[in-house]
Amino acid sequence: MSKFLIALAALLCAALPGLAMAQAAGKVPPAVIAVIDSQRINREAAALKNARQQLEQYRFNFQSEIAKEEEKLRAEEQEIARQRSVLAPEAFEQRRQAFQGKVIELQKRIQERSQSLEKMLNSVREQVTLQVIEILKGLSQERGFNMVLDRAQVQIFIGDNIEITAEVLKRLDQRLPAVKVALPAGK
């Protein structure tokens, strides 16, 4: 979630014009800090849970499809092995190479599908991050903080009153309870 932190810091600074004006005048206001647990948001946000379920179902269906294809390839491999003694060496080599091509093609499909699933999940994470940033802008105006730190970056902090993760999760789940994952059509 490092992109999250970078985007958060940039947007919060841009969202607080009073801070920029104070800096231009030579005055820097005292830091008013809030702490957010981005790992907890990643684990508990309803939209991300929903997206993971959609992707997991998609992955399960794809794995079932692949298992059938692997079974066909195993049967084909056994058939080629049985025919080795009756085929001419050139014919056997052609069949073996054709079989290897099928195996390589299946491996490429698996790799492409895995990359596609990762891209889909990253797209959902980006949507969630944008919503979290908007929520943090609103909370910063309501509560008066001008800096947000990720709990993973903070070793020790005093007082739960600066921890805003629960409120961010509550608002995020209200704003974005689910995300429709754009799964590839017909796959």
Side-chain angles (χ1 to χ4, degrees):
M1 271 260 186
S2 61
K3 286 183 184 178
F4 170 78
L5 292 175
I6 293 168
L8 175 65
L11 284 171
L12 274 180
C13 287
L16 300 173
L19 179 61
M21 293 167 83
Q23 287 175 333
K27 299 177 187 174
V28 177
V32 180
I33 299 171
V35 175
I36 187 169
D37 187 344
S38 61
Q39 292 176 352
R40 179 176 168 201
I41 289 172
N42 192 36
R43 275 191 322 269
E44 297 179 16
L48 286 169
K49 286 180 180 180
N50 177 271
R52 282 189 205 101
Q53 288 173 342
Q54 291 177 61
L55 291 171
E56 200 52 44
Q57 182 61 44
Y58 179 74
R59 186 179 319 226
F60 175 78
N61 293 340
F62 180 66
Q63 286 174 341
S64 298
E65 177 187 323
I66 294 300
K68 290 176 188 174
E69 289 185 40
E70 286 174 338
E71 186 59 38
K72 287 179 188 176
L73 287 174
R74 274 192 286 280
E76 185 177 339
E77 181 180 37
Q78 290 172 353
E79 182 61 28
I80 291 171
R82 277 194 294 269
Q83 292 179 350
R84 182 177 191 147
S85 62
V86 295
L87 289 175
E90 297 83 25
F92 173 76
E93 186 59 27
Q94 285 179 339
R95 292 192 94 191
R96 189 191 67 75
Q97 286 179 358
F99 174 76
Q100 282 301 106
K102 290 177 184 178
V103 170
I104 290 169
E105 184 60 35
L106 180 61
Q107 290 171 340
K108 283 171 53 176
R109 278 186 49 218
I110 292 169
Q111 184 178 14
E112 288 169 359
R113 195 69 60 97
S114 293
Q115 290 171 346
S116 178
L117 287 172
E118 190 63 33
K119 285 179 184 177
M120 289 178 225
L121 185 56
N122 286 338
S123 173
V124 170
R125 285 184 179 134
E126 286 176 23
Q127 291 177 52
V128 168
T129 298
L130 291 174
Q131 289 299 316
V132 168
I133 289 169
E134 289 302 313
I135 290 166
L136 289 173
K137 284 180 188 178
L139 280 172
S140 72
Q141 291 173 351
E142 290 173 25
R143 297 192 182 176
F145 57 83
N146 57 15
M147 182 183 293
V148 178
L149 300 175
D150 191 307
R151 186 174 190 109
Q153 305 300 317
V154 179
Q155 295 297 322
I156 300 173
F157 71 91
I158 300 172
D160 289 334
N161 60 338
I162 64 172
E163 167 67 56
I164 59 172
T165 306
E167 183 64 25
V168 171
L169 270 170
K170 177 182 166 190
R171 292 181 185 200
L172 177 61
D173 289 347
Q174 289 170 347
R175 277 185 170 194
L176 193 66
V179 174
K180 177 70 175 136
V181 177
L183 301 172
K187 293 185 180 178

